[in-house]
Amino acid sequence: MIKILKNYKLEDVLSRKIDDYSEYEPTVRAIIADVAARGDEALRFYAEKFDGAKLDGLEVTAEEFEEAENSLSEELKAVIRQSAENIAFFHSRQRREGFEVEREDGVILGQKFTPVAVAGVYVPGGTASYPSTVLMDIIPARIAGVKNIVMVTPVKADKKVKPEILYAAKVAGANRIFKTGGAQAIAALAYGTQTIPKADVVVGPGNIFVALAKKMVYGLVNIDMIAGPSEILIVADGKSNPVFVAADLLSQAEHDKLASAVLVTDSEKLALEVQAEIERQLLAMPRETIARASIEANGRIIICEDMQKAVDIANAIAPEHLEVCVDEPMELLPKILNAGSIFLGRYTPEAVGDYFAGPNHTLPTGGSAKFSSPLSVDDFVKKSQYIRYTPKALEKAAPGVMKFAECEGLYGHANSVKVRVDKA
């Protein structure tokens, strides 16, 4: 049963201990080194070792795309296309333009945005299938202007990528898809192989081996984030429907046993009603075992004085998903400082953000919303700044530049200015 807390310490509400994954690190390092050395041969070896897939070719063929599309219902394909349109509509507003200014002395200063050449997208391929993540991770890259979007995903012994994954990738705009997963897939994107091109940025969720591999190759490539267990925090007043609130808490608890679901309310009555409703709804859930384990280990209902205090608690926790279940949620929005994605009002369940609304569902977890952001178009572009000085402008700036360089003991820097001014 979910715990109700009246007297609490905030640090005890959502325990976020730094996990020690050192036992996995030697394995991941060895896999990365092997892929860097042997390329495709290593990928085929690990596909058979870990997934039971004896692969002749790594790349998904045109025939496989066609077969996947033909196997899906028209209804599901229409839903995937509509979701893609919504995601594109939102992310197209994220495109940024550079700037250029020319000062009176003729100096030109500017900044420009350039998409990366190759984006690598990792899509998990375990027991669950997430075509929504395919859309969320590929569409921002396409909108950013990336010309080559490469997707990797593991397959089982049947050597097939799930058809909804392939169709979503086609709709989103992936250029090529390869049958490889785990740490070896991340290594392939980071180093390149005989078949898979080297990426400039790697995005997408995965298990601990994927997460560790992304950490280890960061610097060789850029990465989006290291995603942890899913989280939801709901701020709700006494007028909220306990059935709605319980359902939303359980929507995250069913992800895995490490997921966390927290309700913060100023109503003890609502707290008790939600506690009872969670028990009732759990009995009808196909993933009851997982959801119950999550609720009992990481679920909390916090009773506080008022909505301002509830927002303060939310800001301190900085959840991945934050629902604000009050009549006038826009009044609280300016006070919310730390959250991955914010769901406003009583009829905006987190699930609409997962699948359909348009904003990205690849979000910072573990409190990292205090300093990081959802996946966006920005993850697939890089900024360059540029400077142009005229001879007169350099002559004017020279004394200051040279003084600063000499202050730091970098006389070569000072001289690079001096020789130009002396010549003039």
Side-chain angles (χ1 to χ4, degrees), residues 86-87 90-91 94 136 341 352-354 356-362 375:
N86 294 345
I87 294 166
F90 178 83
H91 288 80
Q94 295 178 339
M136 293 287 181
S341 196
V352 300
D354 268 352
F356 211 69
N360 212 283
H361 78 198
T362 302
L375 186 74

Side-chain angles (χ1 to χ4, degrees), residues 101-107 390 393 396:
V101 293
E102 183 172 358
R103 300 193 323 204
E104 292 181 359
D105 56 5
V107 170
T390 63
K396 181 179 179 182

Side-chain angles (χ1 to χ4, degrees), residues 63-126:
E63 290 75 19
E64 288 175 295
F65 273 107
E66 184 177 359
E67 179 186 352
E69 184 170 351
N70 291 338
S71 71
L72 298 175
S73 70
E74 292 303 319
E75 181 182 14
L76 177 57
K77 288 190 285 188
V79 168
I80 289 173
R81 290 194 301 270
Q82 183 60 63
S83 178
E85 288 180 16
N86 294 345
I87 294 166
F89 174 82
F90 178 83
H91 288 80
S92 65
R93 272 71 185 166
Q94 295 178 339
R95 282 186 293 223
R96 294 203 279 168
E97 296 182 358
F99 64 86
E100 182 176 285
V101 293
E102 183 172 358
R103 300 193 323 204
E104 292 181 359
D105 56 5
V107 170
I108 296 174
L109 306 173
Q111 179 174 280
K112 70 187 188 78
F113 291 86
T114 308
V116 299
V118 182
V121 176
Y122 184 90
V123 174

Side-chain angles (χ1 to χ4, degrees), residues 137-398:
D137 288 359
I138 292 176
I139 290 173
R142 174 166 56 79
I143 290 173
V146 180
K147 299 298 184 185
N148 296 294
I149 303 172
V150 178
M151 192 180 101
V152 293
T153 189
V155 292
K156 298 300 182 185
D158 65 1
K159 300 187 264 189
K160 292 186 176 182
V161 179
K162 293 180 179 178
E164 58 270 30
I165 295 293
L166 287 184
Y167 185 71
K170 177 182 177 181
V171 170
N175 298 102
R176 303 173 73 186
I177 299 177
F178 298 94
K179 301 174 181 179
T180 181
Q184 59 271 24
I186 301 301
L189 291 173
Y191 287 92
T193 71
Q194 294 88 341
T195 301
I196 301 175
K198 181 187 183 309
D200 300 302
V201 59
V202 176
V203 305
N207 62 19
I208 182 56
F209 294 97
V210 171
L212 278 176
K214 286 172 72 175
K215 288 180 70 174
M216 289 178 185
V217 301
Y218 174 66
L220 183 63
V221 295
N222 196 13
I223 62 171
D224 52 347
M225 63 187 75
I226 305 297
S230 189
E231 308 167 348
I232 187 170
L233 188 147
I234 301 176
V235 170
D237 62 18
K239 295 163 65 178
S240 299
N241 187 323
V243 176
F244 295 178
V245 174
D248 292 355
L249 291 170
L250 290 172
S251 72
Q252 292 307 294
E254 75 171 348
H255 269 293
D256 67 62
K257 296 177 181 179
L258 297 177
S260 63
V262 177
L263 166 63
V264 185
T265 181
D266 59 355
S267 169
E268 184 170 356
K269 179 176 180 292
L270 179 68
L272 292 168
E273 289 173 340
V274 170
Q275 184 185 53
E277 185 61 28
I278 285 175
E279 289 302 306
R280 188 189 71 78
Q281 292 187 27
L282 272 170
L283 297 176
M285 295 186 70
R287 294 168 68 90
E288 178 192 354
T289 301
I290 294 172
R292 187 177 292 279
S294 168
I295 286 293
E296 291 180 354
N298 305 308
R300 301 288 187 273
I301 298 176
I302 303 170
I303 301 174
C304 62
E305 303 91 278
D306 51 40
M307 284 294 101
Q308 179 57 59
K309 182 61 176 177
V311 170
D312 292 343
I313 293 170
N315 282 331
I317 292 175
E320 178 187 17
H321 306 99
L322 173 61
E323 289 189 12
V324 184
C325 297
V326 299
D327 285 337
E328 301 296 337
M330 303 305 290
E331 293 180 1
L332 292 181
L333 182 59
K335 300 178 181 180
I336 297 169
L337 308 178
N338 305 320
S341 196
I342 306 167
F343 303 82
L344 299 165
R346 305 188 195 281
Y347 286 86
T348 315
E350 182 274 335
V352 300
D354 268 352
Y355 301 115
F356 211 69
N360 212 283
H361 78 198
T362 302
L363 304 168
T365 60
S368 61
K370 291 181 178 178
F371 54 81
S372 62
S373 309
L375 186 74
S376 73
V377 169
D378 286 346
D379 288 285
F380 301 98
V381 297
K382 46 196 168 58
K383 297 186 288 286
S384 298
Q385 57 193 27
Y386 56 91
I387 307 164
R388 181 175 180 178
Y389 266 58
T390 63
K392 283 189 175 181
L394 181 62
E395 184 178 4
K396 181 179 179 182

